[in-house]
């Protein structure tokens, strides 16, 4: 707020009056303290009308303007003396108090000698077009508003002083003099605006006849006002200063100024950006403090300066793993949140990565004033809370991101979403999750033209199709901060991968490690030899085909390592075992208990979330130097290593894909730690030709999965299009489908039917299932007949229920209404058990029977109601033939319900996993899936 200045308006008088006043004023001038000589800009010879200012004089009140007057003061006092009568000192004091009250609007005086009780009328104005000028028509209100607005920006000493003065003035309101003063205040706006004119009014009613009393009155007046102002200045000087950190205020001012400048720069789409890519310099400091990033790589700078980003066009960029893609995305996200003041959605493939990213960006949110919201598992609110001030960064899995976009479209808030960032964009080509990601992006492209989409991946091939789909530009670079050397090992020979040679491999070296007969049998692939070359000084990852293989490799390696390995960071390893023990309520995995003292552990989905986090942190800090892990770690959290060993070119029973191979070897080489990284693929002679193709082939193409995943893909999309009113006629649905990846690739994907015919068949199928209402014209697909969604259809897309199960779920819920058993939680748990986990479950029939026998009579009745009779379980457990048909999906689902039921009673994952002979990770995964499905079920029922 600009500092208020005091404008002065003079009453007009005739020249003869001025002369007469000057003549009469001479006798008083010498004795009056007010009439002492004051500094003047014009010196002694300056005209009487000139304002009294002195630029050279030190100003104790800084930028606050002082009162200024002129040499006609004595003549004016003489006029008052002749016109008005005053014989009560109390009235003089009252007038002074009102004058002081008006001075409380933040106006200060330079020097008590600069104050003159002139006839000038004071009117407060601000620097900006008189924004604080008091209104003539409503003086009381104007004065109050003015005081409040100016007091807000006053120094703390002033605030304390004015509080004290207000207390004194309120105490004096009961006196007759103050009552009289209030009456005068209300009677005229001029009296409020000019305390001296009010004072003059009082004189007019009480004019004295004696000349000596007139002289005495003037002296009293001037001394009274002078004393008041003197005490005001003294009070200001003595008032305590509130403890407000000047440094903090200054930092906040600089930050807000930089955000304002950056916002202006972004809006103007200029290349001339702010201190840190259009962001406050505080962002650069945070990257330095929290991430240890001093400078950006050259490619990162080039990418951020791309014209397509300056103009907010969609962008796909691709670099090798470890090249620093995520940092670029984070800077773009911060630009959107801070400069353009829009919400941002970041879509990541796995729950673990979402949690890691939420943790990593929360500190930025706290420092820079935006919210970080997690949408993974059972977390997330639909629609999200609408914030008035702070903007939100939603970090979501693919499924939760889709549900979030649906809720924003439904509540007409999709325009609040300024940016969508997709990590691992190649996931578009991977099964049902790829279909859901494609649907999400297509909806954003169709419904919000102003939402920018940024996609990134290390493994993209058919970029042209993706560019067409996302209407995006493309940036790529082969930069890696650390050089990667690729090798393969056949028997005891290591070959370098070299595309220039005839068979693609060049001899590198023979393994130099002495194997005993027993060791050769235990480790035919020479894993110990490869590992011993790097650990414990450097870190190493071994990718294994299966979870069981991970545990076996970790056990085998530590058995044959030298005892010296135990001494490396021994205390931290013991602390890690204690931590894992506390996580498992006093139990720790026997394999981990054996391997951790050697600095070795396994890492796969069989671990609980807390165990996995502890092991990852220990590996990152160097306490653990070797992890035996599955392929999920390659696509998950960032855990780089000096050497990466691929135990076999398989994931489970499937041969390795090029994308998976690239992701795994991409973990080799740690920026800022290693000068080079190396990967070694262990190959059997029989797989040599397959591996040649794998290493030298291009990356796999990314194809739409909307048709392959029918219920989670095409049908789910058609249902939500009609339900959200994005497209409600056959023609509109056709137009939308042209915006999908399937629309771009329709020639490649479906050769038998046209896209329009596929759409027509999908809509008819939904009408048959009772999810849509309407009619599809047989002759002309451009028919304007409108489709509407049924209550069941609405429940299905709003609850994000797979269309394969929606009718079954509805039937089971209706059946539940007829006879829901509420004596225990078992029946409700059964209804909340996710359908998609039944296919991975294979019951142990003896455990099944034992758990069934432990149920109460009411709980056994639940098993009968859902369709699993006791006789069936008994016959299965005893190995007898079953004649009666029982649905396997129901049997498996009830078995999983028993696991949840036991977990609800015991809460200890360890004991439950042992009781059912399952891994801890599987039990926890079941629990998370059930929580997520229960959330979907709630929305379905609503």
């Amino acid at each position: 707020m600009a500092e208020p200045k005091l404008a002065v308006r003079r009453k007009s008088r005739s020249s003869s009056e001025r002369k007469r006043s000057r003549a009469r004023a001479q006798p008083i001038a010498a004795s009056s303290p007010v009439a002492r000589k004051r500094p003047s800009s014009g010196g002694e010879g300056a005209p009487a009308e000139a304002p009294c200012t002195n630029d050279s004089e030190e100003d104790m009140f800084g930028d606050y303007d002082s009162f200024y007057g002129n040499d006609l003061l004595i003549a004016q006092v003489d006029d008052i003396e002749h016109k008005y009568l005053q014989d009560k000192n109390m009235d003089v004091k009252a007038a002074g108090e009102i004058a002081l009250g008006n001075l409380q609007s933040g106006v200060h005086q330079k020097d008590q000698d600069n104050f003159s009780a002139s006839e000038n009328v004071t009117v407060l104005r601000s620097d900006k077009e008189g924004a604080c000028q008091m209104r003539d028509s409503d003086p009381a209100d104007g004065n109050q508003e003015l005081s409040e607005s100016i007091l807000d920006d006053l120094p703390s000493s002033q605030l304390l002083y004015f509080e004290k003065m207000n207390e004194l003035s309120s105490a004096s309101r009961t006196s007759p003099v103050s009552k009289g003063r209030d009456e005068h205040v209300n009677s005229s706006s001029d009296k409020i605006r000019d305390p001296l004119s009010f004072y003059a009014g009082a004189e007019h009613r009480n004019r004295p006849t004696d000349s000596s009393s007139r002289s005495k009155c003037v002296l009293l007046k001037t001394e009274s006002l002078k004393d008041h102002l003197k005490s005001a200045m003294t009070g200001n000087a003595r008032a305590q200063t509130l403890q407000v950190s000047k440094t903090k205020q200054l930092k906040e001012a600089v930050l807000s100024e930089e955000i304002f400048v950056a916002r202006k720069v972004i809006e103007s789409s200029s290349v001339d950006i702010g201190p840190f890519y259009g962001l406050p310099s505080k962002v650069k400091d945070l990257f330095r403090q929290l991430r240890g990033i001093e400078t950006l790589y050259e490619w990162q700078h080039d990418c951020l300066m791309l014209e397509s980003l300056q103009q907010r066009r969609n962008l796909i960029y691709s670099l090798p793993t470890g090249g620093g893609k995520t940092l670029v995305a984070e800077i773009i996200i911060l630009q959107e949140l801070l400069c353009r003041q829009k919400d941002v959605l970041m879509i990541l493939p796995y729950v673990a990565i979402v949690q890691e990213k939420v943790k990593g960006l929360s500190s930025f949110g706290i420092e820079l004033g935006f919210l970080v919201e997690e949408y993974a598992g059972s977390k997330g609110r639909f629609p999200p809370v609408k914030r008035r001030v702070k903007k939100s960064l939603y970090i979501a899995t693919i499924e939760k991101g889709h549900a979030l976009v649906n809720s924003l479209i439904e509540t007409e808030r999709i325009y609040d979403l300024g940016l969508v960032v997709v990590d691992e964009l190649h996931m578009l080509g991977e099964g049902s999750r790829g279909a859901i990601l494609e649907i999400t992006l297509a909806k954003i492209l169709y419904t919000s033209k102003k939402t920018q989409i940024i996609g990134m991946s290390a493994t993209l091939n058919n970029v042209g199709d993706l560019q067409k789909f996302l209407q995006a530009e493309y940036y790529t670079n082969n930069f890696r901060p650390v050089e990667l050397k690729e090798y393969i090992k056949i028997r005891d020979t290591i070959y370098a991968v070299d595309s220039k040679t005839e068979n693609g491999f060049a001899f590198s070296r023979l393994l130099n490690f002495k194997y005993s007969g027993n060791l050769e049998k235990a480790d035919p692939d020479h894993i110990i030899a490869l590992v011993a070359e790097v650990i414990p000084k450097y870190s190493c990852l071994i990718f294994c085909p299966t979870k069981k293989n991970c545990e076996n490799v970790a056990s085998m390696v530590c058995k044959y390592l030298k005892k010296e390995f135990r001494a490396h960071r021994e205390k931290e390893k013991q602390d890690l075992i204690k931590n894992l023990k506390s996580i498992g309520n006093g139990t720790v995995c026997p394999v981990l208990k054996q391997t951790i003292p050697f600095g070795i552990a396994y890492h796969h989905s069989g671990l609980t979330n807390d165990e996995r986090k502890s092991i990852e942190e220990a590996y990152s800090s160097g306490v653990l130097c070797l992890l035996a892990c599955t392929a999920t770690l390659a696509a998950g959290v960032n855990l780089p290593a000096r050497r990466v060993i691929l135990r076999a070119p398989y994931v489970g029973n499937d041969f390795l894909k090029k994308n998976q191979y690239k992701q795994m070897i991409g973990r080799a080489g740690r920026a800022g730690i290693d000068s080079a990284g190396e990967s070694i693929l262990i190959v059997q002679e029989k797989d040599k030709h397959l591996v040649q193709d794998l290493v030298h082939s291009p990356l796999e193409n990314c194809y739409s999965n909307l048709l392959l995943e029918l219920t989670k893909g095409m049908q789910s999309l058609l249902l939500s299009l009609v339900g959200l009113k994005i497209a409600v006629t056959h023609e509109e649905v056709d137009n939308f489908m042209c915006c999908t990846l399937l629309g771009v690739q329709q020639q490649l994907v479906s050769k038998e039917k046209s896209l329009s015919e596929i759409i027509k068949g999908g809509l008819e199928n939904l009408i048959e299932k009772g999810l849509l209402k309407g009619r599809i014209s047989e002759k002309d697909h451009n028919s304007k007949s409108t489709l509407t969604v049924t209550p069941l259809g609405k429940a299905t897309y709003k609850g994000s229920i797979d269309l394969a199960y929606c009718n079954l779920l509805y039937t089971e819920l209706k059946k539940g209404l007829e006879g829901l058993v509420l004596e225990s939680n078992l029946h409700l748990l059964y209804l909340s058990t996710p359908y998609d986990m039944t296919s991975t479950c294979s019951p142990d029939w003896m455990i099944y029977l034992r758990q069934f026998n432990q149920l109460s009579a009411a709980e056994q009745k639940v098993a009968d109601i859902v369709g699993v009779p006791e006789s069936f379980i008994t016959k299965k457990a005893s190995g007898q033939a079953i004649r009666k048909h029982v649905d396997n999906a129901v049997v498996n689902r009830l078995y999983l319900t028993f696991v949840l039921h036991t977990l609800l009673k015991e809460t200890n994952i360890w004991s439950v996993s042992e009781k059912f002979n399952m891994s801890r990770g599987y039990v926890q995964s079941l629990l998370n899936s059930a929580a997520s499905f229960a959330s979907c079920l709630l929305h379905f029922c609503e």
Side-chain angles (χ1 to χ4, degrees):
M1 177 177 164
E3 301 293 353
K5 293 189 177 180
L6 190 70
V8 178
R9 192 168 72 220
R10 298 166 43 95
K11 291 180 182 174
S12 59
R13 294 191 305 157
S14 67
S15 59
S16 59
E17 278 182 308
R18 283 200 295 273
K19 286 174 186 173
R20 193 168 64 250
S21 299
R22 257 198 303 274
R24 279 202 301 268
Q26 296 308 318
I28 302 172
S31 59
S32 172
V34 181
R36 287 178 300 180
K37 185 174 179 183
R38 291 162 297 140
S40 168
S41 59
E44 286 186 22
E49 314 293 323
C52 174
T53 58
N54 184 359
D55 292 334
S56 64
E57 186 176 341
E58 187 179 348
D59 183 1
M60 67 179 283
F61 287 100
D63 292 334
Y64 288 92
D65 288 348
S66 62
F67 287 144
Y68 59 88
N70 54 56
D71 292 333
L72 289 178
L73 168 66
I74 308 304
Q76 295 153 25
V77 170
D78 197 43
D79 272 357
I80 293 168
E81 182 185 356
H82 278 80
K83 282 182 184 177
Y84 309 115
L85 181 64
Q86 174 58 278
D87 58 359
K88 289 184 180 178
N89 191 27
M90 193 73 79
D91 279 347
V92 176
K93 192 171 180 181
E97 281 179 11
I98 287 185
L100 185 62
N102 275 336
L103 294 179
Q104 288 180 356
S105 299
V107 182
H108 301 269
Q109 96 179 37
K110 196 182 273 184
D111 189 304
Q112 64 205 35
D113 290 340
N114 281 354
F115 177 81
S116 65
S118 71
E119 88 284 13
N120 297 344
V121 179
T122 60
V123 181
L124 281 170
R125 300 175 190 271
S126 77
D127 282 343
K128 294 183 182 175
E129 304 295 333
C132 294
Q133 185 174 347
M134 296 165 85
R135 296 193 304 266
D136 286 347
S137 59
D138 194 359
D141 290 347
N143 195 40
Q144 185 180 354
E145 287 171 17
L146 174 66
S147 298
E148 286 175 359
S149 65
I150 294 174
L151 283 173
D152 284 344
D153 283 358
L154 277 180
S156 51
S157 60
Q158 255 64 356
L159 291 171
L160 285 169
Y161 173 69
F162 287 143
E163 282 171 15
K164 191 173 179 183
M165 289 304 296
N166 285 337
E167 286 171 18
L168 289 170
S169 63
S170 62
S172 65
R173 276 176 197 154
T174 51
S175 70
V177 175
S178 63
K179 279 182 188 173
R181 183 181 68 209
D182 289 344
E183 286 167 17
H184 290 306
V185 167
N186 292 329
S187 67
S188 164
S189 66
D190 284 339
K191 290 171 188 175
I192 294 252
R193 295 197 311 174
D194 182 10
L196 295 177
S197 65
F198 167 80
Y199 170 75
E203 293 256 345
H204 181 66
R205 287 184 298 278
N206 302 284
R207 182 187 295 177
T209 52
D210 183 32
S211 64
S212 64
S213 65
R214 279 201 305 268
S215 167
K216 185 179 177 183
C217 173
V218 172
L219 283 169
L220 278 170
K221 271 186 305 185
T222 52
E223 282 175 4
S224 173
L225 286 168
K226 179 179 163 186
D227 289 345
H228 268 288
L229 286 158
K230 204 170 182 179
S231 67
M233 289 167 68
T234 310
N236 276 350
R238 286 179 182 170
Q240 292 179 355
T241 306
L242 293 172
Q243 295 300 311
V244 181
S245 167
K246 292 282 181 190
T247 314
K248 190 178 178 186
Q249 286 178 343
L250 192 63
K251 277 184 181 175
E252 286 175 356
V254 170
L255 178 63
S256 61
E257 176 65 23
E258 286 182 350
I259 287 177
F260 176 75
V261 170
R263 198 175 294 159
K264 288 290 179 194
V265 168
I266 294 289
E267 284 169 5
S268 64
S269 298
S270 168
V271 182
D272 180 21
I273 58 175
F276 184 68
Y277 301 99
L279 288 164
S281 53
K282 184 175 182 181
V283 175
K284 190 176 183 180
D285 296 338
L286 287 171
F287 277 117
R288 190 185 297 117
Q289 291 163 20
L290 302 172
R291 304 278 179 82
I293 297 168
E294 293 288 340
T295 54
L296 269 64
Y297 297 129
E298 189 181 341
W299 84 262
Q300 291 172 327
H301 172 77
D302 294 344
C303 187
L304 286 165
M305 297 302 290
L306 287 173
E307 192 181 343
S308 53
L309 280 183
Q310 306 295 325
Q311 295 177 4
R312 295 198 77 247
R313 295 203 290 271
N314 296 346
L315 178 73
I316 299 168
Y317 63 99
S318 175
L319 276 97
T321 302
K325 297 184 294 296
T326 309
L327 178 61
V328 170
E330 286 174 354
I331 291 171
I332 296 168
I333 285 168
L334 292 174
Q335 286 174 346
E336 195 68 32
L337 288 164
L338 300 180
C339 305
R340 298 190 187 94
Q341 291 286 300
K342 289 279 189 177
D343 295 331
V344 177
L345 169 61
M346 188 178 199
I347 298 176
L348 302 170
Y350 303 110
V351 174
I353 310 178
V354 169
Q355 290 168 343
E356 185 188 33
K357 189 56 67 183
V358 167
K359 187 180 174 185
L361 287 174
S362 291
S363 44
F364 283 85
I366 291 163
E367 292 291 334
L368 298 170
F370 62 87
L371 298 162
V372 179
E373 300 187 38
E374 181 181 340
Y375 279 76
S378 57
K379 290 185 179 176
R381 183 165 175 172
F382 304 102
V385 178
K386 191 172 174 67
R387 318 277 179 186
R388 282 184 295 174
V389 181
K390 289 190 176 183
K391 295 299 157 190
S392 291
L393 167 58
Y394 309 112
I395 303 179
T397 55
I398 292 169
E399 293 78 9
K400 288 285 180 177
H402 179 225
L404 179 67
V405 167
N406 279 350
S407 70
L408 289 173
I409 292 171
E410 189 176 30
T411 52
E412 297 181 355
R413 285 169 51 195
I414 192 68
Y415 305 107
D416 293 345
L417 204 59
L419 173 69
V420 176
V421 174
V422 183
D423 195 7
E424 310 295 355
L425 188 65
H426 62 269
M427 292 281 292
L428 277 167
E430 295 187 14
S432 62
R433 306 193 79 217
I436 294 169
L437 182 57
E438 182 182 342
I439 291 168
T440 306
L441 294 175
K443 284 176 180 174
I444 293 165
L445 286 164
Y446 193 82
T447 57
S448 178
K449 303 295 181 193
K450 289 190 177 179
T451 302
Q452 186 183 15
I453 295 174
I454 305 286
M456 52 182 170
S457 175
T459 54
L460 285 178
N461 192 30
N462 57 331
V463 179
D465 287 352
L466 300 180
Q467 277 185 269
K468 278 185 194 172
F469 166 44
L470 295 176
Q471 300 150 36
E473 301 206 0
Y474 181 57
Y475 176 89
T476 186
N477 196 307
N478 289 323
F479 172 82
R480 260 190 73 92
V482 178
E483 185 192 359
L484 173 63
K485 296 172 182 175
E486 288 180 55
Y487 300 97
I488 67 160
K489 186 190 84 67
I490 302 173
R491 295 196 186 92
D492 60 350
T493 311
I494 292 178
Y495 300 90
V497 173
D498 186 356
S499 55
K500 293 171 188 172
T501 59
E502 191 180 337
N503 65 351
F505 303 123
F507 173 81
S508 176
R509 65 189 172 98
L510 285 168
L511 272 177
N512 183 23
F513 191 86
K514 290 178 182 176
Y515 268 78
S516 65
N518 287 338
L519 185 54
E520 188 74 49
K521 283 180 186 175
D523 182 23
D525 293 326
H526 309 104
I527 291 171
I528 291 168
L530 295 172
V531 163
E533 289 175 349
V534 286
I535 65 168
K537 190 178 179 184
Y538 300 108
S539 57
C540 181
L541 293 174
I542 303 176
F543 284 103
C544 304
T546 65
K547 287 185 278 192
K548 191 66 186 166
N549 196 222
C550 292
E551 295 176 30
N552 292 343
V553 166
S555 297
M556 183 267 293
V557 170
C558 77
K559 259 182 209 172
Y560 294 99
L561 283 179
K562 292 175 184 173
K563 295 287 180 271
E564 293 90 83
F565 281 92
R566 294 180 73 101
H568 181 72
R569 301 183 72 164
E570 192 172 4
K571 186 183 179 300
E572 287 112 310
K573 290 171 187 170
Q574 291 304 319
D575 291 341
L576 175 60
I577 291 173
K578 282 179 191 170
N579 184 32
L580 290 171
K581 211 168 192 175
S582 67
I583 289 168
N585 291 331
T587 314
V588 67
C589 170
V591 176
L592 290 175
K593 200 172 183 179
Q594 176 199 359
T595 61
I596 286 173
F598 289 90
I600 300 167
Y602 64 84
H603 183 289
H604 56 60
S605 59
L607 295 166
T608 65
N609 290 343
D610 292 333
E611 286 173 332
R612 201 155 48 234
K613 278 178 191 168
S614 294
I615 286 168
E616 285 165 3
E617 284 166 12
Y619 176 81
S620 298
S621 63
V623 175
L624 297 177
C625 53
L626 173 67
L627 288 185
C629 51
T630 51
T632 50
L633 185 135
V637 288
N638 187 23
L639 295 175
R642 173 66 173 266
R643 177 177 286 179
V644 169
I645 300 167
L646 280 71
R647 172 78 176 74
Y650 290 90
V651 174
N653 297 320
D654 302 322
F655 195 78
L656 206 58
K657 290 181 185 173
K658 179 74 175 203
N659 287 350
Q660 293 169 322
Y661 172 71
K662 279 286 185 189
Q663 279 190 321
M664 287 180 194
I665 67 170
R667 293 292 177 213
R670 296 167 300 169
I673 301 171
D674 301 325
S675 56
E678 53 190 26
S679 69
I680 301 171
L681 171 58
I682 299 171
V683 182
Q684 306 302 323
E685 196 70 51
K686 64 182 176 70
D687 292 328
K688 188 176 176 182
H689 294 294
L690 288 170
V691 169
Q692 276 179 330
D693 294 339
L694 168 72
V695 172
H696 298 293
S697 66
L699 292 160
E700 288 88 4
N701 284 337
C702 185
Y703 294 117
S704 171
N705 276 276
L706 284 182
L707 291 183
L708 298 173
E709 296 290 334
L710 197 62
T711 57
K712 281 190 177 178
M714 177 63 87
Q715 290 189 0
S716 174
L717 172 58
L718 294 174
L719 177 64
S720 63
L721 286 181
V722 177
L724 294 167
K725 297 183 173 63
I726 296 171
V728 292
T729 66
H730 193 178
E731 184 185 5
E732 287 173 354
V733 172
D734 273 1
N735 292 339
F736 178 92
M737 293 305 294
C738 293
C739 300
T740 61
L741 182 59
L742 177 65
V744 172
Q745 296 177 333
Q746 57 183 295
Q747 308 301 326
L748 301 166
V749 177
S750 177
K751 293 182 175 116
E752 298 147 19
K753 288 183 179 179
S754 70
L755 184 59
S756 184
E757 288 173 321
I758 293 168
I759 293 166
K760 184 185 170 196
L763 291 171
E764 286 172 345
N765 186 271
L766 291 173
I767 291 169
E768 281 173 31
K769 284 185 176 180
L771 301 172
L772 290 182
K773 283 189 292 188
R775 196 167 48 84
I776 305 296
S777 172
E778 292 293 329
K779 294 176 185 177
D780 183 13
H781 85 272
N782 291 323
S783 164
K784 299 292 180 188
S785 68
T786 304
L787 296 162
T788 55
V789 70
T790 63
L792 177 59
K794 187 177 182 182
T796 303
Y797 82 79
K798 289 194 84 169
S800 301
I801 304 293
D802 188 340
L803 268 67
Y805 308 125
C806 65
N807 281 308
L808 176 62
L809 175 64
Y810 183 56
T811 306
E812 288 190 336
L813 288 172
K814 277 207 299 186
K815 197 174 175 183
L817 278 178
E818 292 166 13
L820 188 65
V821 179
L822 293 172
E823 285 183 43
S824 82
N825 295 319
L826 189 67
H827 202 167
L828 288 171
L829 278 174
Y830 174 80
L831 294 172
S832 319
T833 303
Y835 291 101
D836 52 6
M837 288 194 76
T838 56
S839 58
T840 59
C841 170
S842 50
D844 181 317
W845 294 106
M846 288 308 295
I847 295 172
Y848 209 146
L849 183 61
R850 195 182 308 130
Q851 289 299 316
F852 184 87
N853 290 332
Q854 287 173 9
L855 298 176
S856 67
E859 287 168 342
Q860 287 183 357
K861 188 184 171 188
V862 171
D864 207 36
I865 289 170
V866 300
V868 185
E870 183 181 1
S871 58
F872 173 81
I873 301 170
T874 309
K875 284 178 180 176
K876 274 285 188 185
S878 61
Q880 294 176 34
I882 309 288
R883 290 177 189 171
K884 188 180 176 184
H885 172 71
V886 176
D887 189 347
N888 276 335
V890 175
V891 173
N892 292 358
R893 195 174 178 214
L894 184 65
Y895 187 68
L896 293 176
T897 304
F898 284 174
V899 177
L900 291 170
H901 189 243
T902 311
L903 197 60
L904 199 65
K905 289 191 288 186
E906 297 190 16
T907 69
N908 187 344
I909 286 178
W910 266 99
S911 61
V912 174
S913 63
E914 284 170 9
K915 196 171 277 185
F916 285 88
N917 198 20
M918 292 174 168
S919 72
R920 307 180 300 289
Y922 185 83
V923 174
Q924 188 168 54
S925 174
L926 172 64
L927 182 62
N928 291 338
S929 295
S932 188
F933 185 67
S935 171
C936 295
L937 198 59
L938 172 68
H939 291 293
F940 180 88
C941 293
E942 284 175 345

